[in-house]
Each structure stands twice: as C-alpha cells, then as structure tokens.
Amino acid sequence: MSLAGIVAERSIIVCCGSGGVGKTTTGAVLALEAARRGRRAVVVTVDPAKRLADALGLEALTNSPSRIDGPWPGELWALMLDTKNTFDSLVQQYAADPDQAGRILANRFYQNISGSLSGTQEYMAMEKLYELHEASDFDVVVVDTPPTRNALDFLDAPRRLTHFLDNRLFRVLMTPTKAYLKAVNFAAQAFLRTVSKVVGGEVIQDAITFFQAFEGMEAGFRDRAARVLELLSEPDTAYVLVASPRRDTVDEAVFFADKLAEGHLAVAALIVNRMHPVFGEGLAQATRERAHTLAGTDLGGLYQNLADFQLVAQREEEHLRGLAEKVAPAPVARVPFLRSDVHDLDGLAQVAGHLFPPS
C-alpha cells in the first residue's frame, strides 16, 4: 500500500524511529494530509518539548484534543500527552466510587509513580491512543512515539502492565490481610522490613496503602491493556518508520524494523527526512576529475562543490539501501533538506508536497 493509501485508509498510524529525525513533524504532516483527504484526524505526541505545537504554529497543546482550522474538507486535531492527568483519569474511571479514587489520587506513592515511574509515560500514551480511537470517533489517530531508542517500550507497555499486575509481590501487597496469604505475607513482611531500612518506613507504608486502595481495580486495567495490545496488532494499524540518511540513524531504524518484526508487526512505510539533493546523474568521481582539469578557474571550484554534494548523496543512498530492502515492500519516501525548520502549516504543506506528490 502506498503512503497515500495508508493515510486515506488506516485508522491508527504509529510513527516510530530514533530521536531527532523529524518524527513529530512527520506525524503532523500525515494527520494534515488525512484532513486534506476529508478525514477526521488527530495527532498525539508524547514529546513534552512542544515540537508538535511548534510544527503546527501553536503556542501550546494540552492533554485534550485542540482543533486546528484550515482550508481542508476534513478535521485536524492535536494534543500533547500529559502522563499524570491521563493516569488520574484512568483511576477515576476504574475506581468503585469517588472515595476510592480520592484515596489513590491523594496517596504519595501514587503521586510519585504516576508522573515519573519508568514506563508510565509509554503506558499512558497507549491509554490515550485507546481513548482517542475508541471514544472520540476520529477516523485516524496518528501517534508520535517517545524520542528514545527504547521507544518500542511504548508498544510493549500493555504487556508489561499485565505482568506487573500478575506479579506475586504486587498481589501480596494488595491483599495482605487475607488468610490464605498469611504465610506469603510473613515472607513479604520480612522483605519489606529490609527494604524499609533503605528507602524508609514511610515510603513502604505509602506503597502498601496505595496497593490496598488499588484493590478491585486491577481487572479493569488488565482488560484494557489486553485490548490495547490487540489494537496494536490489528491490520488497520500502520507503523511508519521515520529516519534520516545518517549512518547512525539508519542503524537505529534497522533496530526498530527488527524489533517490529519480532513482534510480528510490519513496517508499512519508510520516510527519510533531510536528504541531500541529487544534482545530475553523473558519479562524484567523474565530476571530481572534471574539477581537477579546471583547477584554478571559477568553474573548477563549482565542479568541486558539485562533486562533494554528489558524494554525500551517493553515500546517503548507500546507507539507505539495506534498510529499504529490509522493510520492502513498504514504500520509501524521501524528504530533502528544507530551507528552514517547520514552524507552521505552510511548512507542513511543503513537507507534504514531497511525501504526497501530485499524480
């Protein structure tokens, strides 16, 4: 399927790749193109650095979708994930009553893990994706994944949450008063006494209070994690790999492609940003020889510059060749260096012109 077909037909598009390759801008362009094709599109980023707001020419984005008006028949919305607020909303949704939700939200252990625990951001991003897909009636949700090498933790977050909920110590802490767990509790209490000597008894007590307050909610979290995992594996979800032509980022893209393959997920398209332009069809070596014959003249200097550009472009294509073969038959789209960074809708439209050229 072509990149245009992906934007026109898929309901979830996950942009993944290493940091600094233009992933956020690409996500915004894909959502914009979907809106231009008459779809109701939303792009969500987990990057707190305001790159998505900058690319859209906005002052800021919040955890709720903001509509961006423009001359397109569809709708374009955008939001920036707020991990803490998303976690709070989940607690309120799955709590048996407002009192239980209040106890959890006020718990110091919860307040610490809900915004900063490793993996929480990735899981909350998945939750936001699920919410936007299931409850907000968008035709397509475009996700800009975390800008780290471990971005694929994002895809594994539902499974890791389920493992956490099934953890024996978690279950002991949640139900420490049940008779059948007394023997286990004895061992757990010994463990907790040891841990409390390191982190402090108050911290341990906060944790125990949190897990006790959490009792009865784990089924909702577990069921939702399973549904999110299904959503990520459905044929209607497309993974768009974003890279630059530099050797190190191509290596990272190969890593991402391999990780997706391990999860039986295929790369639907490869987008390579910041490509050097190709001037002419000749080889750099031939152009450099021509420069030598014209050495000492103005034309010789120009030929030398041309040879340098051709050599860079050739090397970039060499870097990409293995990656393109690895993700085949996924289409490969190239975006050249632009004169300036993308800071508004006109800039996004310029990138879209390279990704979706007129037929």
Side-chain angles (χ1 to χ4, degrees):
M1 179 181 287
S2 67
L3 187 59
I6 292 169
V7 169
E9 298 179 19
R10 298 296 180 91
S11 62
I12 295 175
I13 300 174
V14 180
C15 296
C16 50
S18 57
V21 295
K23 200 164 59 268
T24 303
T25 299
T26 299
V29 170
L30 298 182
L32 172 62
E33 184 64 19
R36 292 169 63 177
R37 292 170 185 264
R39 308 190 79 192
R40 191 165 185 260
V42 61
V43 53
V44 54
T45 182
V46 298
D47 183 359
K50 293 181 59 180
R51 290 189 179 90
L52 180 59
D54 289 342
L56 292 166
L58 303 175
E59 288 294 323
L61 289 169
T62 69
N63 200 44
S64 298
S66 298
R67 182 169 178 168
I68 298 109
D69 294 322
W72 39 74
E75 295 180 11
L76 175 61
W77 298 73
L79 70 150
M80 184 176 72
L81 177 75
D82 184 321
T83 303
K84 179 70 166 56
N85 282 338
T86 303
F87 209 155
D88 289 353
S89 297
L90 276 177
V91 169
Q92 291 165 340
Q93 178 178 347
Y94 289 117
D97 52 53
D99 287 343
Q100 185 185 24
R103 288 197 303 275
I104 293 174
L105 296 179
N107 183 273
R108 285 178 295 186
F109 179 80
Y110 168 78
Q111 291 171 353
N112 284 328
I113 67 167
S114 58
S116 59
L117 184 68
S118 175
T120 303
Q121 183 190 49
E122 288 82 0
Y123 180 67
M124 289 305 127
M126 282 288 93
E127 286 292 341
K128 183 58 73 175
L129 166 61
Y130 180 85
E131 175 188 319
L132 293 170
H133 181 267
E134 298 290 321
S136 301
D137 198 28
F138 286 108
D139 296 324
V140 56
V141 181
V142 181
V143 184
D144 168 35
T145 57
T148 69
R149 183 180 177 117
N150 296 323
L152 286 174
D153 288 348
F154 174 80
L155 305 178
D156 197 41
R159 188 180 291 106
R160 285 188 289 113
L161 177 72
T162 302
H163 289 168
F164 173 72
L165 293 174
D166 289 335
N167 184 275
R168 190 181 185 189
L169 179 58
F170 168 80
R171 304 196 65 75
V172 168
L173 291 172
M174 274 189 44
T175 55
T177 59
K178 292 184 178 178
Y180 71 91
L181 286 173
K182 279 185 177 178
V184 180
N185 272 339
F186 181 79
Q189 292 297 330
F191 169 76
L192 293 176
R193 280 196 298 272
T194 301
V195 174
S196 66
K197 292 177 182 176
V198 179
V199 301
E202 195 175 77
V203 174
I204 293 299
Q205 187 55 50
D206 284 344
I208 293 174
T209 303
F210 164 74
F211 286 118
Q212 289 174 338
F214 198 78
E215 186 172 10
M217 294 175 56
E218 71 274 18
F221 274 79
R222 183 181 289 106
D223 292 345
R224 184 135 165 169
R227 177 65 188 118
V228 171
L229 203 54
E230 290 176 3
L231 201 60
L232 292 173
S233 304
E234 290 179 353
D236 211 24
T237 299
Y239 293 89
V240 173
L241 188 56
V242 185
S244 80
R246 283 174 32 188
R247 167 66 76 184
D248 57 338
T249 59
V250 169
D251 290 344
E252 287 288 287
V254 169
F255 167 81
F256 276 97
D258 288 339
K259 285 295 183 182
L260 286 172
E262 288 175 10
H264 306 290
L265 302 172
V267 174
L270 169 63
I271 295 176
V272 187
N273 288 313
R274 305 188 189 108
M275 296 282 296
H276 280 81
V278 177
F279 297 105
E281 298 179 354
L283 296 176
Q285 292 83 349
T287 306
R288 200 177 300 284
E289 289 176 5
R290 179 64 173 160
H292 289 160
T293 64
L294 298 169
T297 68
D298 291 343
L299 198 56
L302 293 174
Y303 266 99
Q304 185 63 48
N305 288 339
L306 177 60
D308 291 342
F309 272 108
Q310 286 178 326
L311 183 59
V312 171
Q314 286 175 19
R315 285 176 176 171
E316 289 180 346
E317 287 296 337
E318 290 170 4
H319 294 163
L320 290 176
R321 191 169 298 124
L323 176 59
E325 292 172 355
K326 179 178 282 293
V327 302
V332 181
R334 294 167 171 79
V335 179
F337 266 109
L338 304 178
R339 291 185 177 180
S340 61
D341 291 336
V342 176
H343 292 301
D344 52 30
L345 293 174
D346 289 340
L348 293 179
Q350 188 178 1
V351 177
H354 294 284
L355 295 180
F356 306 97
S359 56

